[in-house]
Amino acid sequence: MFYRPADGHGLPHNPFNALITPRPIGWISTRSAAGEDNLAPYSFFNGAAYVPPQVMFTSTDVKDNLTNIQQTGVFCVNICAAEKMDAMNITSAALPHDVDEFVEAGVDKVECSEIACARVGDAPASMECRMTEIVRLKGADNYLILGEVVGIHMRDDYIVDGKFDATLYQPLSRMGYRDYTIVKEVFELKRPDD
């Protein structure tokens, strides 16, 4: 099958998201200038550079997190473990601006160390970020948010032999459509020049 996205795919469901899998979930927390906390998942999320460490995620439509980042210039990326699947899903709801998703989903909330923002207290890891750029992408309301990581929290119980072991907390990842997957096993593959 071949199709041009501008012409449509002719399938019952758009296959685009299913081609880019699995996608890690950036569970993004922000705080508005007025002090209201927000927490929402983004599956178009990833690392962008090592030195300095940088991350990126995209937002479709002008949502609370985007507005908060525009106001304050900071955000926190919380890594979502499989055990938090239901809480993550609750925070994906389009709730009124003044509703605190941490409270709504029963998520442990603690203050960040380097930025004025809350983070998921029991997340396997959280990355405190200063926004470096917001890029308006092609389309109605698509935004790319880039940030430099200025602080990293990692749970000690997931560090084994000096490595952060994802199999212990089993990251939740997005597939296509309404499908998700859980990372349960890993393998090593060395490059030919290693």
Side-chain angles (χ1 to χ4, degrees):
M1 174 180 176
F2 170 80
Y3 75 96
R4 292 177 184 83
D7 299 335
H9 46 74
L11 298 171
H13 305 283
N14 188 344
F16 177 70
N17 288 359
L19 303 176
I20 306 168
T21 58
R23 298 189 310 276
I25 295 170
W27 208 6
I28 311 293
S29 54
T30 61
R31 180 171 290 151
S32 72
E36 297 166 320
D37 290 325
N38 189 271
L39 178 65
Y42 294 83
S43 65
F44 281 122
F45 155 74
N46 221 310
Y50 279 120
V51 181
Q54 296 165 71
V55 295
M56 51 140 269
F57 73 98
T58 59
S59 179
T60 301
D61 299 326
V62 178
K63 297 177 180 170
D64 290 343
N65 270 341
L66 176 59
T67 301
N68 293 349
I69 294 167
Q70 289 170 325
Q71 290 175 356
T72 66
V74 298
F75 62 95
C76 185
V77 178
N78 303 279
I79 302 303
C80 188
E83 69 181 12
K84 295 293 185 183
M85 176 184 352
D86 293 334
M88 181 279 304
N89 195 40
I90 290 169
T91 65
S92 71
L95 300 172
H97 182 71
D98 60 346
V99 173
D100 185 335
E101 287 83 1
F102 283 92
V103 174
E104 191 75 15
V107 175
D108 182 38
K109 176 169 56 169
V110 299
E111 284 300 306
C112 288
S113 299
E114 300 297 312
I115 60 173
C117 184
R119 65 182 177 89
V120 176
D122 58 353
S126 297
M127 294 174 275
E128 300 182 17
C129 304
R130 292 196 192 284
M131 182 268 295
T132 56
E133 190 174 1
I134 296 176
V135 180
R136 180 110 190 229
L137 302 175
K138 188 174 181 178
D141 274 315
N142 297 314
Y143 300 87
L144 171 67
I145 298 95
L146 296 149
E148 179 179 346
V149 179
V150 296
I152 298 175
H153 302 266
M154 297 187 303
R155 283 188 31 185
D156 292 337
D157 52 335
Y158 297 138
I159 300 173
V160 179
D161 297 328
K163 292 183 176 180
F164 191 67
D165 189 343
T167 62
L168 294 178
Y169 68 87
Q170 301 182 340
L172 185 63
S173 298
R174 186 80 189 262
M175 301 294 282
Y177 316 111
R178 296 193 194 312
D179 302 331
Y180 289 79
T181 189
I182 298 169
V183 177
K184 296 183 178 183
E185 61 183 70
V186 298
F187 61 90
E188 184 177 59
L189 183 63
K190 292 186 177 182
R191 294 180 179 183
D193 56 356
D194 278 351

